Amino acid sequence: MTNITADTANSENTVKSTAPAKGLIPLPEKTARALATAGGALTVVSAFLAWTWNDDFPGDLTYYGSPAGLQWLVLIGGALTALFGLASYGVKGLGWLTPAGADAAIKLSALAAFATTWYTVVSIVLELGLLVDLEPGAGVAALVSLLAVIGAFGLPFERPALEGPDPDDTDFEKFKHEAGNRWTTFKSAFASGPIKPARALPAWAEILLIAAVLGLALTVFTYGITTPYQELFVGFLITAGFGAAALNKAGLFARVTALTTRHRNVALVGAFAAAAAFPLTQTDDQYANLGVNILIFATVALGLNIVVGLTGLLDLGYVAFLGVGAYTAALVSGSPNSPFGVHFPFWAALLLGAAASMVFGVLIGAPTLRLRGDYLAIVTLGFGEIFRISMNNLDGTSGPDITNGPNGIAGIPNVNLFGFDFGATHTIAGFTIGRFANYFLLMLLITLIVILVFRRSAESRIGRAWVAIREDETAAEAMGINGFRVKLIAFALGATLAGLAGAVQAHVSYTVTPDQYTFANAVPPNSAFLLAAVVLGGMGTISGPLVGGSLLFLIPNKLQFLGEYQLLVFGFALIVLMRLRPEGIIPNRRNQLELHEDMEAPTVLGKAGV
């Protein structure tokens, strides 16, 4: 049986008592649990059947006994449902799967299998044109996944008994009240219980578990980034989204977080070792190219997290600092379009790009950081547009010939660092590493530097001052904190980190143009997507913006087949996610407590989120 979550208890409707436990679908508990568990197991079996006789559908789902493409995702969803169902029966050896209870996890994993199955079946019919293109296996899969969902939503849960509407309310207010009651009841169906204490393990065993989790994360990331066709990527999003929510409700994410907190340095080193292994798994440089651009975007999002997440300053023109670093490095790296005719070594261009971004951060921040809230946001938005327009006008016609105007600075040479040519293919320990794999490893090193800077800054005295400014600037200044100086340091440091990433981006893309640095367009990086990455990932944490940035770069890149509807679908998905999880994917503990006031506060809050 599950408990009512804090956000349920904190709804605008007051909980008076708890109604009798029953499911959203009226079924006896034993019947519902058996139906969900058996449905999950049968869904696994259905993945081994042929779903279509026509091999024109991507993935070739025409074979018996050999799952392919989307069938593997359905198999994973069904397996999770069956395992969580068996754990709810108390099967020996599966208790570790559900430290926070199994019922909410069963519902979400059943939804993962059901949604992926039906998406696949509908896609087959729409793409091939006829229902007769389906094999009986597709019908079996659709039926058993539906049975699993029916069983899952028949599981009982504690329903909050809410106060009725005021008799004097208007019809519209009564409608809102009733809708709120239904939403609160629905959310309580997915509530998880308290996490059971973990059994004490030796330190080496905990480190091995962290390594296994990182290996699994690398596998999932690699699978997502290398999906060869659009149907598979959409199915991956469905399964990964519901599957991750199921694992979270089961309490497994909380267990992993506790492990990584106890072994922070080991987890950090292991995460970067897993990331460094990614290009070694790729034979196509296309995916390594996508990987290095994801790293650039995620690293810039982490730099913005200092300004937005730690200090609470709304910066809508942050992508301009990325552009300053990129243009500075491009101008001094030997490009034939550069009017200066100099070719600095990469390390000098990198430092110069970071320094130029820092100078611009100070120049922009000094006169504007006395503003607050919306006024500061408008000023930073203006700076972003001024930068883009200025780069367009420095073309020798509207202004001095420095940036070659809209054509940008092209022909930026590859990095050559200590005799290692990043533009050439190398064979190391039997692995062939191409150009983008070289830059991926270089950018990974830059990301590590940015993470170390963020972590040390957040845990320092200045980091505590940033948090104080974010929570209440007036109170912080009353306690002796120089608000202007502290905010200027945050602005300058965030700009510096963006400049580092910009210098690498210039060499990766060969060309720097003004249109790369806008407030909003369909393709990141841009200021709107960077801000969304910080909020979506989790403000004030280290891993939050990295995860959010990775998702917000990868998903638009893979959804280009939607054309003009891409931003519509993407925006709707963000609204839903922010409604369901406003604290972000990887929340900062302080922010989570603010949004869920009934959560029990720990005795000591952690320093910087991980």
Short mmCIF file of all heavy atoms in Angstrom, two decimals, residues 589 593 596-605:
data_model
loop_
_atom_site.label_atom_id
_atom_site.label_comp_id
_atom_site.label_asym_id
_atom_site.label_seq_id
_atom_site.Cartn_x
_atom_site.Cartn_y
_atom_site.Cartn_z
N ARG A 589 18.14 19.80 -3.39
CA ARG A 589 17.34 19.46 -2.22
C ARG A 589 16.58 20.67 -1.67
O ARG A 589 15.43 20.57 -1.27
CB ARG A 589 18.26 18.89 -1.13
CG ARG A 589 17.53 18.33 0.08
CD ARG A 589 16.64 17.18 -0.29
NE ARG A 589 16.11 16.53 0.91
CZ ARG A 589 15.08 15.71 0.91
NH1 ARG A 589 14.47 15.45 -0.23
NH2 ARG A 589 14.67 15.14 2.01
N LEU A 593 12.45 21.01 -1.41
CA LEU A 593 11.74 21.29 -0.15
C LEU A 593 10.82 22.49 -0.29
O LEU A 593 9.74 22.53 0.30
CB LEU A 593 12.75 21.52 0.98
CG LEU A 593 13.52 20.29 1.47
CD1 LEU A 593 14.62 20.69 2.42
CD2 LEU A 593 12.58 19.30 2.13
N HIS A 596 7.74 21.27 -2.28
CA HIS A 596 6.95 20.25 -1.58
C HIS A 596 7.15 20.48 -0.09
O HIS A 596 7.99 19.85 0.55
CB HIS A 596 7.42 18.84 -1.98
CG HIS A 596 7.38 18.60 -3.46
ND1 HIS A 596 6.21 18.47 -4.15
CD2 HIS A 596 8.37 18.49 -4.37
CE1 HIS A 596 6.47 18.27 -5.44
NE2 HIS A 596 7.77 18.29 -5.59
N GLU A 597 6.34 21.35 0.46
CA GLU A 597 6.58 21.84 1.82
C GLU A 597 6.41 20.76 2.89
O GLU A 597 6.93 20.88 3.98
CB GLU A 597 5.65 23.01 2.11
CG GLU A 597 5.93 24.22 1.23
CD GLU A 597 4.95 25.35 1.47
OE1 GLU A 597 4.06 25.16 2.33
OE2 GLU A 597 5.06 26.37 0.80
N ASP A 598 5.64 19.72 2.59
CA ASP A 598 5.44 18.68 3.60
C ASP A 598 6.55 17.63 3.62
O ASP A 598 6.51 16.70 4.42
CB ASP A 598 4.11 17.97 3.35
CG ASP A 598 2.95 18.72 4.00
OD1 ASP A 598 3.20 19.83 4.50
OD2 ASP A 598 1.82 18.20 3.98
N MET A 599 7.53 17.76 2.72
CA MET A 599 8.64 16.82 2.75
C MET A 599 9.45 17.04 4.01
O MET A 599 9.65 18.17 4.46
CB MET A 599 9.54 17.01 1.52
CG MET A 599 8.92 16.52 0.24
SD MET A 599 10.07 16.68 -1.14
CE MET A 599 11.36 15.56 -0.62
N GLU A 600 9.93 15.96 4.57
CA GLU A 600 10.73 16.06 5.79
C GLU A 600 12.11 16.58 5.47
O GLU A 600 12.83 16.03 4.66
CB GLU A 600 10.83 14.69 6.46
CG GLU A 600 11.58 14.72 7.78
CD GLU A 600 11.66 13.35 8.43
OE1 GLU A 600 11.02 12.42 7.91
OE2 GLU A 600 12.36 13.22 9.43
N ALA A 601 12.47 17.70 6.10
CA ALA A 601 13.77 18.30 5.84
C ALA A 601 14.86 17.52 6.56
O ALA A 601 14.69 17.11 7.71
CB ALA A 601 13.79 19.75 6.32
N PRO A 602 16.01 17.30 5.93
CA PRO A 602 17.11 16.62 6.59
C PRO A 602 17.75 17.52 7.64
O PRO A 602 17.57 18.73 7.62
CB PRO A 602 18.08 16.32 5.44
CG PRO A 602 17.78 17.37 4.42
CD PRO A 602 16.31 17.65 4.54
N THR A 603 18.49 16.90 8.55
CA THR A 603 19.14 17.68 9.59
C THR A 603 20.14 18.66 9.00
O THR A 603 20.23 19.81 9.40
CB THR A 603 19.86 16.74 10.58
OG1 THR A 603 18.92 15.79 11.06
CG2 THR A 603 20.45 17.52 11.74
N VAL A 604 20.91 18.20 8.01
CA VAL A 604 21.90 19.05 7.34
C VAL A 604 21.68 18.93 5.84
O VAL A 604 21.69 17.83 5.30
CB VAL A 604 23.34 18.61 7.69
CG1 VAL A 604 24.33 19.50 6.96
CG2 VAL A 604 23.57 18.69 9.18
N LEU A 605 21.46 20.06 5.20
CA LEU A 605 21.31 20.05 3.75
C LEU A 605 22.66 19.90 3.10
O LEU A 605 23.67 20.40 3.59
CB LEU A 605 20.65 21.36 3.27
CG LEU A 605 19.16 21.50 3.60
CD1 LEU A 605 18.71 22.90 3.22
CD2 LEU A 605 18.34 20.47 2.87
#
